Amino acid sequence: MKAMYFRVTVILMAATFFFQSCAFIDIFLVNNTTHPPSNANYVVLADYGLMVMRKDMGKSTWSGGRDMCAQLRLGGFSDWRLPTQGELAILYNERNKIGGFERTRYWSSTPHAPHGSGSGFYVCINFADGSMGYHFDMFNQQPLAVRCVRSAYPVR
């Protein structure tokens, strides 16, 4: 009886080790830079680690644009957001690859530094000429265009 118990224990230990090893190997085989391919709804800018919508969300105040991105469910993802100032500059530089941009100003999520965070002023970029400026988040009197982004790399 002891020999049979020993054999079963060895077989179970070997099977456990094998499956744990497979999981261990799988961790190292997963490439953290994998991302979904571009499709009709978004473009993946792999060099920058960004996914970008192919179309604008429309025009809005900054807070309205932030909310539109936060509520967006696209491509199975729900973590869309306004681009930072640097990311918006990347979108301008890659605008021909991405497509669908209007020749107008776009919101970034970056507050305009001289006015400080919470002042209501945010950095924007004019896609007509690439000039950077700032705009006040106020009452839809002069709404700016909104284009949402997200990280291209999956979060595990």
Side-chain angles (χ1 to χ4, degrees):
M1 188 69 153
K2 283 189 175 182
M4 184 175 216
Y5 175 75
F6 178 72
R7 262 190 225 142
V8 171
T9 303
V10 169
I11 291 170
L12 287 175
M13 287 176 59
T16 302
F17 177 75
F18 174 76
F19 289 111
Q20 284 179 345
S21 297
C22 289
F24 183 71
I25 291 168
D26 184 47
I27 291 170
F28 286 101
L29 292 178
V30 171
N31 182 354
N32 286 336
T33 61
T34 59
H35 48 76
S38 297
N39 69 23
N41 296 316
Y42 56 81
V43 175
V44 175
L45 299 176
D47 291 345
Y48 304 102
L50 281 177
M51 289 174 67
V52 184
M53 296 176 58
R54 286 194 187 267
K55 296 180 181 177
D56 293 345
M57 292 288 290
K59 290 189 176 185
S60 178
T61 61
W62 179 87
S63 53
R66 179 199 59 207
D67 293 345
M68 286 191 294
C69 290
Q71 295 171 8
L72 179 63
R73 304 297 178 262
L74 180 66
F77 302 104
S78 60
D79 58 346
W80 295 91
R81 58 182 171 73
L82 284 175
T84 64
Q85 175 181 348
E87 290 168 341
L88 192 57
I90 291 168
L91 300 188
Y92 177 77
N93 290 335
E94 300 289 335
R95 66 192 179 281
N96 294 329
K97 179 179 182 179
I98 299 165
F101 287 101
E102 293 183 33
R103 295 177 54 80
T104 188
R105 293 180 294 171
Y106 283 80
W107 286 115
S108 82
S109 63
T110 306
H112 182 57
H115 293 287
S117 183
S119 68
F121 285 92
Y122 294 89
V123 174
C124 61
I125 293 181
N126 189 336
F127 274 57
D129 60 11
S131 62
M132 193 173 295
Y134 59 92
H135 194 67
F136 188 63
D137 178 25
M138 183 178 86
F139 313 121
N140 270 340
Q141 290 183 5
Q142 289 185 327
L144 303 186
V146 175
R147 180 74 65 107
C148 305
V149 300
R150 69 174 298 277
S151 173
Y153 302 115
V155 177
R156 292 189 179 254

